[in-house]
Amino acid sequence: MKECPIDGVRFGASSKKAISEMRDMSKRANWLSTALAGSILSDIFVKNGPIGASYKIHTTDFELLGTAMAASTPILRRKASDLAGSMILLHSGSLNNQEKKFWRCMYNAIK
Protein backbone atom coordinates (compact mmCIF):
# COMPACT_ATOMS: atom_id res chain seq x y z
CA MET A 1 0.00 0.00 0.00
CA LYS A 2 1.25 3.44 -0.88
CA GLU A 3 2.10 5.74 2.01
CA CYS A 4 0.53 9.17 2.30
CA PRO A 5 2.83 11.60 4.11
CA ILE A 6 1.22 13.80 6.72
CA ASP A 7 4.31 15.73 7.86
CA GLY A 8 3.34 19.35 8.28
CA VAL A 9 -0.27 18.90 7.19
CA ARG A 10 -2.68 20.98 9.20
CA PHE A 11 -6.05 19.35 9.03
CA GLY A 12 -9.14 21.50 9.07
CA ALA A 13 -12.46 20.61 10.65
CA SER A 14 -13.80 18.62 7.67
CA SER A 15 -10.61 16.54 7.40
CA LYS A 16 -10.58 15.86 11.14
CA LYS A 17 -14.19 14.71 10.94
CA ALA A 18 -13.42 12.43 7.97
CA ILE A 19 -10.40 10.92 9.76
CA SER A 20 -12.58 10.28 12.80
CA GLU A 21 -15.17 8.59 10.58
CA MET A 22 -12.45 6.36 9.09
CA ARG A 23 -11.31 5.34 12.56
CA ASP A 24 -14.90 4.55 13.54
CA MET A 25 -15.39 2.46 10.37
CA SER A 26 -12.23 0.51 11.16
CA LYS A 27 -13.36 -0.13 14.74
CA ARG A 28 -16.77 -1.33 13.55
CA ALA A 29 -15.22 -3.69 10.98
CA ASN A 30 -12.95 -5.16 13.65
CA TRP A 31 -15.87 -5.47 16.04
CA LEU A 32 -17.94 -7.24 13.39
CA SER A 33 -15.24 -9.85 12.79
CA THR A 34 -14.78 -10.40 16.52
CA ALA A 35 -18.51 -10.67 17.16
CA LEU A 36 -18.94 -13.13 14.31
CA ALA A 37 -16.15 -15.38 15.60
CA GLY A 38 -17.46 -15.10 19.16
CA SER A 39 -20.97 -16.07 18.15
CA ILE A 40 -19.76 -19.17 16.33
CA LEU A 41 -17.59 -20.26 19.27
CA SER A 42 -20.48 -19.64 21.62
CA ASP A 43 -22.79 -21.69 19.40
CA ILE A 44 -20.31 -24.57 19.44
CA PHE A 45 -19.34 -24.67 23.12
CA VAL A 46 -22.03 -22.97 25.25
CA LYS A 47 -24.60 -25.40 26.67
CA ASN A 48 -23.20 -28.27 24.63
CA GLY A 49 -21.59 -31.32 26.15
CA PRO A 50 -18.66 -33.05 24.50
CA ILE A 51 -20.88 -34.89 22.02
CA GLY A 52 -22.89 -31.78 21.11
CA ALA A 53 -19.74 -29.68 20.74
CA SER A 54 -18.16 -32.37 18.58
CA TYR A 55 -21.25 -32.42 16.35
CA LYS A 56 -21.28 -28.60 16.09
CA ILE A 57 -17.59 -28.55 15.17
CA HIS A 58 -18.17 -31.20 12.53
CA THR A 59 -21.13 -29.39 10.98
CA THR A 60 -19.77 -25.83 11.17
CA ASP A 61 -18.54 -24.50 7.84
CA PHE A 62 -15.30 -22.83 8.93
CA GLU A 63 -14.40 -21.92 5.36
CA LEU A 64 -17.62 -19.93 5.09
CA LEU A 65 -16.90 -18.37 8.49
CA GLY A 66 -13.45 -17.29 7.28
CA THR A 67 -14.95 -15.84 4.11
CA ALA A 68 -17.55 -13.92 6.11
CA MET A 69 -14.93 -12.54 8.48
CA ALA A 70 -12.67 -11.50 5.59
CA ALA A 71 -15.58 -9.77 3.82
CA SER A 72 -15.47 -6.84 6.23
CA THR A 73 -12.05 -5.74 4.90
CA PRO A 74 -13.13 -5.04 1.28
CA ILE A 75 -16.23 -3.30 2.57
CA LEU A 76 -14.08 -1.15 4.85
CA ARG A 77 -11.70 -0.32 1.98
CA ARG A 78 -14.62 0.68 -0.26
CA LYS A 79 -16.20 2.89 2.42
CA ALA A 80 -12.83 4.53 3.19
CA SER A 81 -12.20 5.06 -0.52
CA ASP A 82 -15.64 6.64 -0.92
CA LEU A 83 -14.98 8.93 2.03
CA ALA A 84 -11.57 10.02 0.66
CA GLY A 85 -13.16 10.62 -2.74
CA SER A 86 -15.92 12.72 -1.23
CA MET A 87 -13.31 14.80 0.58
CA ILE A 88 -11.67 15.54 -2.77
CA LEU A 89 -14.88 16.28 -4.64
CA LEU A 90 -17.22 17.80 -2.08
CA HIS A 91 -14.89 19.53 0.36
CA SER A 92 -12.16 20.67 -2.02
CA GLY A 93 -13.00 24.33 -1.50
CA SER A 94 -12.45 24.13 2.27
CA LEU A 95 -9.18 22.16 2.12
CA ASN A 96 -5.68 23.59 1.98
CA ASN A 97 -3.24 22.28 -0.66
CA GLN A 98 -1.59 19.84 1.75
CA GLU A 99 -4.95 18.38 2.72
CA LYS A 100 -5.93 18.00 -0.95
CA LYS A 101 -2.69 16.11 -1.68
CA PHE A 102 -3.26 13.92 1.37
CA TRP A 103 -6.83 12.99 0.40
CA ARG A 104 -5.82 12.30 -3.23
CA CYS A 105 -3.04 10.05 -1.95
CA MET A 106 -5.45 8.29 0.44
CA TYR A 107 -7.98 7.74 -2.34
CA ASN A 108 -5.37 6.29 -4.69
CA ALA A 109 -3.81 4.15 -1.95
CA ILE A 110 -7.03 2.45 -0.83
CA LYS A 111 -9.12 2.22 -4.00
Side-chain angles (χ1 to χ4, degrees), residues 2-105:
K2 182 179 174 183
E3 291 185 25
C4 299
I6 59 170
D7 295 339
V9 177
R10 293 208 170 139
F11 292 110
S14 58
S15 287
K16 288 178 182 178
K17 182 179 178 187
I19 290 168
S20 177
E21 286 180 40
M22 282 189 171
R23 285 184 182 142
D24 289 345
M25 285 188 286
S26 179
K27 288 176 187 175
R28 285 191 301 266
N30 289 334
W31 180 87
L32 177 62
S33 293
T34 302
L36 184 57
S39 69
I40 293 298
L41 291 174
S42 174
D43 183 51
I44 291 172
F45 295 109
V46 174
K47 296 184 182 180
N48 288 323
I51 294 172
S54 177
Y55 175 77
K56 288 281 192 172
I57 290 170
H58 179 71
T59 59
T60 298
D61 187 345
F62 287 100
E63 187 175 326
L64 182 60
L65 172 63
T67 302
M69 290 175 67
S72 66
T73 302
I75 294 168
L76 173 62
R77 288 179 64 95
R78 175 59 190 256
K79 300 278 283 174
S81 175
D82 289 349
L83 182 58
S86 75
M87 289 302 295
I88 296 165
L89 295 174
L90 303 176
H91 299 280
S92 182
S94 66
L95 303 177
N96 62 47
N97 286 335
Q98 292 174 322
E99 285 178 294
K100 289 176 188 177
K101 287 179 186 176
F102 173 79
W103 287 113
R104 281 189 195 105
C105 181

